[in-house]
Amino acid sequence: MATIDALVTDLQNWTSASSTVLPATTCVEFVNTAIRRLQRRRAYQAEHLSVDLTFGATVGVVPLPLDYVAETGVWQKDTAQTDPAMALRSITRTLRPTWVQGTDPDNTRDTIYPNVASPGASASTTGSFLYYTWAGTLTIVPTPNATLTVQLDYVRKLPELIAATAEENTFLRLYTDVVRDGALVEAYRYLHQWDVALAYEQVFAMKVQEAILADTAPTAAGATKPSKGR
């Protein structure tokens, strides 16, 4: 485990470069670059997050979180349900262009036996929703006619580390050596030591694969496809 400031010192010591040649802010950028490269290779467990989004009555669109990368699940959430296993109902994804002539489930009832569904039932209570993401927003269709709580499971982009803050994140806690080697690749390129940079690039690539295996191990030991709710 290491903080951002400890890694800055490591980069300066390992390259034998002074803080004038390798300023702290430059070293921090190298560390953040290494973490970005790790995140581009895989959605690590540490990048997964759940957040509740509230759709008001007749409001079918809400902004996605600013750190959103991709969703892994969208669920209609019953906030009154005390049993977590019963609180979530999966919402299916649809392609945006296909929802041109959407149909409200209320309008599909049998005209002769309209009360086959519960009296007063609607899209907001039956869970007959679809969703799509577009231009930084999450859209629920058809538009709910009552307040709706949706749990969004998504992959996030971790915030960038800042110099002189003693910050850390999951990558620094679990994969310190991987991040350091990735940052050294950038540092040696910066110093125009191309052969050394190439050697560290090869080491970094190897350790990235080890990190992926380590991150995969807990999920590989469980169910093949995680699920929750109804």
Side-chain angles (χ1 to χ4, degrees), residues 37-202:
R37 293 185 66 187
L38 281 166
Q39 291 184 97
R40 286 196 290 265
R41 291 294 300 273
R42 170 180 170 81
Y44 290 78
Q45 295 182 57
E47 297 172 78
H48 290 258
L49 191 67
S50 295
V51 65
D52 287 351
L53 304 175
T54 301
F55 291 78
T58 71
V59 177
V61 182
V62 298
L64 288 164
L66 294 178
D67 57 356
Y68 169 91
V69 176
E71 78 275 11
T72 59
V74 177
W75 312 80
Q76 180 179 345
K77 185 172 186 178
D78 183 354
T79 56
Q81 177 59 252
T82 57
D83 182 353
M86 299 295 291
L88 302 178
R89 185 189 301 272
S90 178
I91 302 177
T92 303
R93 183 185 179 101
T94 184
L95 296 177
R96 178 176 177 265
T98 63
W99 195 265
V100 177
Q101 297 178 342
T103 303
D104 188 322
D106 279 352
N107 295 332
T108 62
R109 294 187 186 182
D110 191 301
T111 56
I112 300 176
Y113 301 103
N115 290 325
V116 170
S118 300
S122 67
S124 62
T125 58
T126 62
S128 301
F129 289 112
L130 299 173
Y131 81 90
Y132 63 81
T133 59
W134 178 257
T137 62
L138 175 67
T139 299
I140 294 293
V141 289
T143 301
N145 54 20
T147 300
L148 175 69
T149 299
V150 168
Q151 178 175 302
L152 171 68
D153 299 342
Y154 71 103
V155 177
R156 60 174 172 160
K157 180 180 181 296
L158 295 182
E160 304 246 310
L161 297 167
I162 301 173
T165 57
E167 286 184 320
E168 61 177 29
N169 61 22
T170 299
F171 288 104
L172 296 193
R173 288 193 294 271
L174 298 180
Y175 310 117
T176 306
D177 58 321
V178 186
V179 175
R180 183 191 295 114
D181 287 342
L184 283 168
V185 173
E186 304 303 321
Y188 281 114
R189 286 174 177 167
Y190 179 82
L191 296 171
H192 294 182
Q193 297 184 34
W194 308 111
D195 290 343
V196 183
L198 178 59
Y200 271 102
E201 179 67 48
Q202 294 170 341

